[in-house]
Amino acid sequence: MPESVEVSDAAGVRTIRMNRPEKKNALTQPMYAAMTYALSQIQDSPAIRCVVIAGAPGAFSAGADIGEFLESAQSGALRPATVAFLKAIAHNRKPLVAAVGGLAVGIGVTMLFHCDHVVASADATFTTPFLKLALIPEAASSLLAPMRMGHARAFSMLVMGRPLSAAEAKDAGIVNTIVEAGAVDGAALKAAAEIAALPAGAVAVSRALMRGRLDVVERQIDTELEQFRERLQSDEARAAFAAFLSRKK
Ligand code: COA
């Protein structure tokens, strides 16, 4: 397990914590791989009844590491650990709670469409700047976001890249609860304990019924990824990655 992902189990709840605070939890291949492994390990474990995905103080995740985007653009291949993580979170069978403290960007937002309960800090922001990087939405968000929040709001977020505040994300049905910044992890663990205390079999069946057709979700992920790979290699995307990586602060 890389240091940038911490996994711990307590009282039937697995916590997967993204921990690369110096880069605002931008996700790298080892991080995706560790998160995929942490999910896969407990799929058939009766001991773990709920999973919490958490971040670092002030940063749930700044999304995919843009340096890796540039590498993909140069090689022409998608990064395998990213693809595996998207499939793993879509097919995950355990209830998922997210503890979003501070910023959530890109896949830090789109992974929330695969979560069942989201706690956010009052100062959380939700941004998907795919188009600013000349990319397109991923993680089946092009399907799940319009279903969740309606086309107009999903377009504003996913395509126009307009940020949502915590209150707007709650209004849009992405967030359940808003708490003070220091209380996010505690509130998420409390929700997870509540879920873990329910009859596990009935939770699993209810969740599967509510998640709908996973084959449709997976097909959307694959279709998005085909387009994503092409966009990654475009001149406009390469220029956007290079501009971010060489920006002066
Ligand atoms: N990929 C790679 N590095 C990233 C990153 C990302 N997605 N997000 C942040 N970082 C790095 C920054 O380059 C910086 O590194 P440095 O200290 O070596 O220069 C460090 O993390 C801290 O980020 P910084 O920009 O100084 O923090 P901030 O609070 O001013 O801004 C963000 C935070 C998230 C708004 C800003 O970093 C950003 O826009 N990141 C890109 C987000 C993005 O486009 N993700 C992909 C979505 S598809």
Side-chain angles (χ1 to χ4, degrees):
M1 201 58 71
E3 279 172 18
S4 44
V5 173
E6 288 173 358
V7 178
S8 57
D9 298 337
V13 176
R14 167 158 288 197
T15 300
I16 303 174
R17 184 177 300 284
M18 298 170 278
N19 185 33
R20 194 189 179 209
E22 71 286 3
K23 296 287 182 186
K24 307 276 171 175
N25 276 344
L27 292 170
T28 61
Q29 293 298 287
M31 292 171 78
Y32 283 120
M35 293 168 76
T36 300
Y37 181 63
L39 282 175
S40 70
Q41 263 187 327
I42 47 87
Q43 290 302 303
D44 297 315
S45 161
I48 299 296
R49 297 158 76 104
C50 190
V51 177
V52 173
I53 301 187
F60 180 66
S61 172
D65 187 288
I66 294 178
E68 290 195 349
F69 274 165
L70 191 57
E71 286 170 28
S72 284
Q74 281 152 358
S75 72
L78 291 168
R79 309 288 283 187
T82 312
V83 177
F85 174 71
L86 295 178
K87 303 277 172 101
I89 197 162
H91 286 284
N92 158 62
R93 296 190 301 277
K94 296 287 179 179
L96 269 184
V97 174
V100 183
L103 58 90
V105 185
I107 197 166
V109 174
T110 56
M111 74 168 82
L112 301 176
F113 292 110
H114 301 276
C115 293
D116 304 293
H117 189 93
V118 178
V119 177
S121 61
D123 63 353
T125 53
F126 300 78
T127 320
T128 50
F130 296 114
L131 277 283
K132 293 198 173 107
L133 294 169
L135 296 173
I136 61 151
E138 33 63 326
S141 60
S142 59
L143 172 75
L144 301 174
M147 279 166 59
R148 184 77 63 91
M149 57 210 278
H151 176 82
R153 282 195 284 194
F155 190 90
S156 166
M157 183 179 86
L158 288 181
V159 179
M160 296 170 75
R162 288 197 182 170
L164 296 184
S165 66
E168 287 166 334
K170 186 167 184 234
D171 194 45
I174 302 174
V175 164
N176 292 81
T177 318
I178 300 173
V179 297
E180 286 310 311
V184 174
D185 288 356
L189 283 169
K190 192 165 169 238
E194 193 181 324
I195 295 166
L198 295 167
V203 169
V205 174
S206 307
R207 183 178 189 276
L209 286 166
M210 292 174 72
R211 293 277 298 149
R213 294 271 307 271
L214 291 186
D215 57 328
V216 175
V217 172
E218 173 147 14
R219 207 172 317 127
Q220 192 80 4
I221 290 175
D222 288 336
T223 308
E224 290 170 346
L225 286 176
E226 272 171 40
Q227 300 293 334
F228 200 95
R229 194 170 63 81
E230 279 189 27
R231 295 289 98 222
L232 267 175
Q233 293 170 75
S234 67
D235 290 342
E236 54 190 9
R238 287 170 195 244
F241 306 151
F244 176 78
L245 294 171
S246 63
R247 82 205 147 123
K248 303 256 182 311
K249 288 195 272 183

